Every structure is written in C-alpha cells, then in structure tokens.
Amino acid sequence: MGSLTEANLKKLAGARSFERGRGYLDAVSGVEVGDGWVTASVHGTERYEVELTLDAPGGLSGECDCPYGLEGNFCKHLVALGLTVLAQRESLPRQRKAARERAQDLDGWLSALSKDELLDLLRQQISEDRQLRRRLELRAASARGDLTTVRSHIRGLLDIGPFAQYGYVEYADARAYAEQAEQAVSAIAALTGSGRAADAITLAREAMRLLAEAVESVDDSDGRLGQIGADLADAHLDACRAARPDPEELARWLVGHALGDLDDGLTDIDPLDYEEVLGEAGMAVLRKRAVEAWRGNRRGWAEKYLMERLAKAGGDVDAVIAVHAADLSPSGHTHLVIARELDAARRPDEALRWAERGIGEARDARDLADVDTALVDYLCDRYAQAGRLADAVALRRDHFGARRTLLAYQQLRAAARVADCWPAEREGALALLRVDAEEQQQGWYGGPVLLDALLDDKDVDAAWEAATQTGAHDRQWLTLADKARSTRPADALGVYLRLAEPLTKQTGNTVYEQLVSLLLSIRDCHRRLGTEDELAVYVTALRTAQKRKRNLMRLMDEQGL
C-alpha cells in the first residue's frame, strides 16, 4: 500500500493525466481487491478494464485497455482507480486479507476434490468458456501428436475472418485477434517442449506465412502483431535448436525468407542467429545462396543487407565494400559509407580515396549541389587533419558555389578563417550572393541569402544597404531593425510600424503577442529619438481602434503601453 500515494500516481501519469483522472472518479465501478492488485471498470469513451498492481518489484504499476494505456502509458483511468482506492485506504488491508483468505479457501477446496470431481468441474468450465475449450483442445492435440488437428487449430487462430468487417480488422477488434494469434504461437512452442520440434518448425513457417498475410488486413496501431511475429521467430529458432534440421535445407529456407515476400519485418529473422544450428556446411550454403541472390540483383535492398550482414560477420571488409560499390549513390552517400567502413578497418588512405572519388564523381556530373553534405564535412575534416587547408577551402568554396545557402557560407567562412584567407573568399562569396539577390533568388526561409550572410557576419550597415537595394523578407527586416535600432532608430522605427500595421487587422493571442513585441520596439525607438509624444498619440489611437480585443488590451496594460 505504501507505493499507492497521490504523489506516485501523479509521477506515473504526469500532471495532465492526473488532473483528468480526477474527473473520472464517478466513472469507476466494479472495484475488486485482490492480494496485491485491484481491478475495476472505468467508463470513458468506452468501458475500459483497469488493473493496479500494488506490490510490483518496481513499485506501483498498472494496465488499462484504453488506446493510451495499451501504448504502455499510465492513463487517467488508472489514476481514477488509484484515487478511488486511496479514498477507502482504511479498509484496504482488511480487503487484501479477505482476498488472501478466499484464495486459500479456493485452493484448499480444489485440493480436496477427487480426480473425477475435478474433471467434472473442468468439463463444466469448458462448456461455458469457448476460449478455454479451444486452448485445451489445442494442448490435447499437441500432446498426442495430432499434427493435422494442431495445424487446423492454428489456421483458425490466425484467421481474421471472425474479426473482420468487409475484410479488415478494425482497431477495436485487433486486440482480440492478437490474443488469439498469441495462442497459436504458444501452441507451436509447446510442440517443441513436448518433443515434437520438427513439427514445430513446419507449423512455425506456415504460421509466418499466415500472419504475414493477415497483417495487411489488421489495424495494428499498437504493434501487438509485431511482437507476436518476434515471438514466432523465437519459437522457430528454439525448434531448430532442438530438432537440428538438415542444415542445407535450413540455409536455403533462411535465404528465401530473408529475400522473399515473408520478410515483412514481422518476424525479422536474422540468419546469423542460426549459425550454431547450421554449422559449417549450412553456413557455406547460406553464403553461397546469398552471393548468388546478390549477384542476380545487386541493387535489391534485401540482397544487399543480407550480403552486408554476412560479410561483416565474417570480418570481410572488402566484401562489404563490394556490396556498397555495386550500387553507388550519385549523392556520394555510398562513398561515405565505404569510407567509414575503411576507417573502422584502419585503412585511412583508402577511405580518403573513396571520399574524394565521391566528390569527384559529383563534380564530373556537375551535381555538387545535391552531394551528401556529410561527405563534404567528412572530407573537409580529413583535409584539416592532414593540414591540407587549401583543399578544404577549395571544397567548401565549390560546395557553396553550388548551393549558396547560409550554412554553406558559414562553413566556407570557418574553413577560410583557419586557412587565414577569409577576406578574399568572402568577397567572392558575397559577389555570388549579390547576383542571386538581384535575380530575386530567395533562400529556404524567404528573402535573399545575401542578407542572412551579412547579418551573420554582423555587417549591419551593409545588410541594410543590400535590403534597401534588393528587397528583403519581413523576417529579415525585423532582424535588421532589431540589430540596427541603437544606431539607426528612425530607420528601425519605420520597419516596426510597417510590420505592426497588418497585425492590427488580425486576431488571436499569438498575433497579440507579436504586436505587443513590436510595440515595445516602437517605444524604444521613440525614446531614442526623443519623440515620446508621437508614441503617446500612436498608442492612444491604437487602443481606441483595438479596444474590443480584451487580451490585447491586457497585454498592453502589462507592458505599460
């Protein structure tokens, strides 16, 4: 009980869910207290089943079948149940004691029953509980080795038909389907445990195919089928370890699974997990089939991934490079991957050549604008480490010439300063940006990159002159005004007044906050200019025109406007 406190509920749920949980106290019903747990129903959008575990190893925990709870969150419904229990905390020890006594009484009663009496009781439960009957039927078929019946049951458990409307299992029914699918995986694992691992292998593979077909028609937003697929893969591996199937056949199946339609991410089987089962002969077949598949489709993602995994596992860096080199990206990204592999293998000279090759091929294609910037960064870093500063500047210059972004400008500036040649490089870079500005070419956020570069250089006067000549985005004008306000208050005032005007015709708290921020800047300009009287006239007129906007008036009052 010590872990069940309001503080812990708030810590687990977060402040927002905790407060929302308070509003659900009247929606809690059917509270049942066990020895260490409490369950109830909470009526929200739907009726949800919730359970609090009071004595978990990590402290208080809970589960709820609402969408938020199924994602593993401590939801408002759990908060509501926790607060309900806390409201009757004095009686909780007594209720827990009564639950223990009931469990002991039930266990004592069952233990005293004869075999026939227990069988009668079980048969009665089977007749009333269809799910229990199915589970026990499946266990019975597994125990007697009736593969036909087990296969039939597993097919039924993985059939979406009973849950699907118009051929699709909606989110509301997906959990019930997943619980049924879990029974199929449990049955397959049970076959291995009962000495029928070979049968488990056969059924696991069939179940993978059925599950892969089913997932296309199930809303698996909670990812439960993904976990079931992983459990199914584990069941298959366990069965292979127990049965020791023909290693060559297993190798062929693993490659086919990795490259075929069943490799949908659900089972996510890694052939290397089977290395001990495959042995040398099986691994040899695995490698051979993987190489053949890759040579037949060098650009196939699955083929490349399998080849790369096998090559890395074998420590064959050259094979890894060959896989990547067979499908080089025009952006140079693949060259970068190869360079990093070679760096990891302590072959830096080859790594440098591959990086330079990637840049060279991009230059030859006149496509340096689309080159992977990480490759440019990598090569410039290598040049800097080797003291090849002129080469680093040249690459940054070419990259900037192709892209002409603020980031490329900043990177050129950093490299040129290290090489002590920034003034000359800056002149050339700004000349390119002036051409772009005159041609009205804008940067990513709007407005000429020239202004962003000059502002980044803290050359405010040059930036103001450029903005006046070529125009600027409002974002740039605002930045300019903020930086120039102390030296050019009259110019800055004109910018602020122009930017404020359209905001007076809009509504919304965000707009009001922007407008008040501009008003504060306007006030500062007037104070610098000694024209406070003009400010008073402006603010009075603004208040008269905007008086119905109560939130705006409140914000202005708070700032003394």
Side-chain angles (χ1 to χ4, degrees), residues 453-485:
L454 291 170
L455 284 169
D456 200 61
D457 283 341
K458 297 181 173 55
D459 194 345
V460 178
D461 288 337
W464 197 284
E465 181 181 353
T468 303
Q469 292 175 353
T470 64
H473 189 275
D474 283 348
R475 170 188 61 82
Q476 295 172 315
W477 274 119
L478 180 58
T479 303
L480 265 172
D482 289 342
K483 292 184 178 298
R485 192 164 67 209

Side-chain angles (χ1 to χ4, degrees), residues 61-385:
S61 64
E63 294 182 358
C64 178
D65 61 0
C66 73
Y68 189 62
L70 288 174
E71 293 176 357
N73 299 299
F74 199 94
C75 65
K76 59 190 177 185
H77 308 113
L78 286 165
V79 172
L81 175 56
L83 293 175
T84 299
V85 174
L86 284 173
Q88 48 185 326
R89 60 169 66 99
E90 295 81 5
S91 65
L92 190 61
R94 175 178 53 79
Q95 290 176 296
R96 292 185 63 171
K97 180 182 178 183
R100 283 196 298 273
E101 292 174 350
R102 290 195 301 272
Q104 291 168 358
D105 290 344
L106 178 59
D107 185 66
W109 176 69
L110 288 172
S111 299
L113 293 177
S114 66
K115 176 182 176 181
D116 289 340
E117 289 172 325
L118 283 171
L119 285 173
D120 286 341
L121 178 62
L122 183 58
R123 291 185 182 111
Q124 180 181 350
Q125 292 301 310
I126 290 172
S127 67
E128 296 174 356
D129 189 333
R130 184 176 61 178
Q131 293 295 333
L132 175 62
R133 174 175 56 80
R134 287 180 174 174
R135 288 197 295 271
L136 293 180
E137 286 174 346
L138 190 53
R139 286 195 179 187
S142 299
R144 65 175 182 269
D146 185 351
L147 189 61
T148 301
T149 301
V150 174
R151 174 180 281 114
S152 176
H153 275 287
I154 288 176
R155 285 176 175 173
L157 291 170
L158 295 175
D159 179 18
I160 67 168
F163 304 90
Q165 294 184 2
Y166 310 108
Y168 189 79
V169 181
E170 302 291 347
Y171 178 82
D173 299 312
R175 183 181 185 187
Y177 173 75
E179 291 174 349
Q180 196 166 283
E182 287 171 351
Q183 295 177 31
V185 179
S186 298
I188 292 169
L191 283 172
T192 299
S194 62
R196 292 180 172 82
D199 291 339
I201 294 173
T202 301
L203 292 180
R205 294 180 184 180
E206 184 172 346
M208 289 178 193
R209 177 180 59 80
L210 294 172
L211 190 62
E213 293 172 356
V215 74
E216 298 297 327
S217 302
V218 179
D219 182 350
D220 189 35
S221 300
D222 295 329
R224 293 172 68 98
L225 294 189
Q227 182 57 53
I228 291 169
D231 293 341
L232 186 54
D234 290 340
H236 180 265
L237 178 57
D238 290 342
C240 288
R241 285 170 174 161
R244 297 288 168 169
D246 176 74
E248 296 187 10
E249 186 279 330
L250 176 59
R252 288 191 292 270
W253 182 86
L254 287 169
V255 172
H257 182 85
L259 304 181
D261 294 336
L262 284 183
D263 186 30
D264 51 15
L266 271 179
T267 49
D268 197 24
I269 287 178
D270 186 347
L272 291 177
D273 289 341
Y274 291 75
E275 185 171 4
E276 185 265 335
V277 179
L278 289 168
E280 292 185 8
M283 286 300 296
V285 173
L286 182 69
R287 293 190 185 94
K288 179 183 177 183
R289 296 297 290 264
V291 169
E292 290 173 350
W294 173 66
R295 286 176 176 169
N297 183 18
R298 292 176 187 261
R299 294 190 174 185
W301 182 90
E303 288 82 357
K304 287 168 58 178
Y305 179 74
L306 179 57
M307 270 295 296
E308 184 183 356
R309 288 282 294 119
L310 290 170
K312 283 187 175 181
D316 191 345
V317 176
D318 291 315
V320 174
I321 293 170
V323 172
H324 291 301
D327 185 24
L328 293 172
S329 167
S331 71
H333 174 74
T334 322
H335 300 77
L336 177 60
V337 171
I338 292 173
R340 286 173 172 165
E341 291 286 353
L342 288 165
D343 276 334
R346 298 184 179 180
R347 292 158 63 175
D349 292 342
E350 293 175 74
L352 180 60
R353 286 197 293 273
W354 268 102
E356 290 179 325
R357 175 180 166 181
I359 295 295
E361 291 176 1
R363 277 193 176 117
D364 291 342
R366 296 185 178 181
D367 204 21
L368 205 56
D370 295 325
V371 74
D372 189 338
T373 55
L375 176 60
V376 177
D377 294 342
Y378 171 89
L379 191 50
C380 286
D381 287 344
R382 289 295 303 271
Y383 284 154
Q385 291 168 15

